[in-house]
Amino acid sequence: MSTSKPNFQIKLAESDAELRAAQRLRYRVFVEELGGSGALIDHQNRLERDQFDPFFDHLILVDKSIIGEEIDRVVGLYRVLRQEFAEKIGQFYSEDEYDLSVLKSSGRKLLELGRSCLHSDYRGGAAMFHLWSGLADYVNVHEIEVLFGVASFHGTDIGPLAQPLSLLHERHLAPKDLRVRAQPDRFQRMDLIPEAQIDRVKAMLKVPSLIKAYLRLGGFVGEGAYIDHLFNTIDVCLIMDTGRMNAKNKSLYTKERNL
């Protein structure tokens, strides 16, 4: 509970306590809100965690005005994985869902984004801007060229999402040099409705805010969706090439950015 305006701090988690705070926020969003599950989730302590956590950087947004335990002060999160650490693990997290060969063979510097979330009290405000500003600094420091990661629609019933998935496929499909593809054993077509029959306004209303934000920045989606029954979601892979952004959007992810 906060008694004043947010007092935001954006930083990388540097301690076990800060990592647990990130995992607490993940539990609130992905388990309590979205009904996700997993083998390493700690329900007793309300922590959403997995075997990849030790290899990722956790970019956390802290509201220092919150009164209470430190574990409850993380209100925003990006979990990010640089290519050199993916090579140590033997894979990117999203390779279980998508064939990333086209990106991995590109010779460009890659960054995987995952577990991005905001506390429900902070959505639609300044928190997302602070989180993106922190991500932009991280991208600049590590000279990242291509960002990617899965983003989710809630639920696993493909029928109600035929319009938005078809819209993403028809209007925002990645060019071939970036076009990752859902793994063949779980490939779910996204071209479910002919383009002429898509109601763009109604379709966009069903697209989650995070996906819409990436599209506005010039992002693309990979080919095919992935139905994740464990997390109770339908996932699409988002790809953002900093070299393809227009000047206005690119300023968020280049050293010319003025904050």
Side-chain angles (χ1 to χ4, degrees), residues 147-203:
L147 301 87
F148 69 95
V150 297
S152 303
F153 290 83
H154 182 45
T156 58
D157 184 355
I158 203 75
L161 298 177
Q163 285 267 353
L165 291 174
S166 298
L167 178 68
L168 293 179
H169 178 88
E170 295 294 343
R171 304 283 181 87
H172 301 284
L173 187 64
K176 288 188 177 181
D177 63 311
L178 298 174
R179 192 178 302 170
V180 304
R181 182 178 171 87
Q183 295 289 5
D185 60 331
R186 300 288 293 276
F187 185 91
Q188 168 60 56
R189 288 178 52 199
M190 293 171 60
D191 54 338
L192 303 169
I193 297 175
E195 184 173 12
Q197 297 177 23
I198 298 172
D199 185 324
R200 187 181 184 282
V201 174
K202 290 182 178 179

Side-chain angles (χ1 to χ4, degrees), residues 1-7 63-68 73 122:
M1 178 180 178
S2 175
T3 59
S4 60
K5 291 184 178 180
N7 179 14
D63 183 357
K64 299 172 71 175
S65 73
I66 291 176
I67 298 171
R73 291 177 183 164
Y122 292 80

Side-chain angles (χ1 to χ4, degrees), residues 209-245:
S209 297
L210 182 65
I211 296 177
K212 285 190 279 195
Y214 280 116
L215 297 180
R216 285 194 294 269
L217 285 172
F220 305 103
V221 297
E223 185 173 1
Y226 178 93
I227 301 178
D228 188 342
H229 293 283
L230 194 63
F231 257 72
N232 192 33
T233 59
I234 295 174
D235 297 342
V236 297
C237 190
L238 291 166
I239 310 104
M240 191 158 59
D241 180 353
T242 59
R244 281 181 164 93
M245 292 180 182

Side-chain angles (χ1 to χ4, degrees), residues 6-55:
N7 179 14
F8 289 129
Q9 178 189 20
I10 185 78
K11 67 188 299 290
L12 291 176
E14 298 173 316
S15 66
D16 288 341
E18 288 178 334
L19 175 57
R20 286 194 297 273
Q23 292 169 336
R24 169 65 60 82
L25 177 64
R26 285 160 46 179
Y27 188 92
R28 283 175 169 165
V29 174
F30 298 115
V31 179
E32 293 180 339
E33 286 189 41
L34 299 179
S37 62
L40 296 181
I41 290 176
D42 182 346
H43 292 287
Q44 181 176 352
N45 293 302
R46 298 173 61 225
L47 303 175
E48 193 277 304
R49 56 188 186 180
D50 66 22
Q51 70 272 27
F52 290 92
D53 281 337
F55 301 95

Side-chain angles (χ1 to χ4, degrees), residues 105-118:
S105 63
S106 68
R108 306 182 71 195
K109 296 192 73 171
L110 308 177
L111 182 70
E112 181 177 41
L113 310 178
R115 293 298 197 273
S116 55
C117 56
L118 282 173

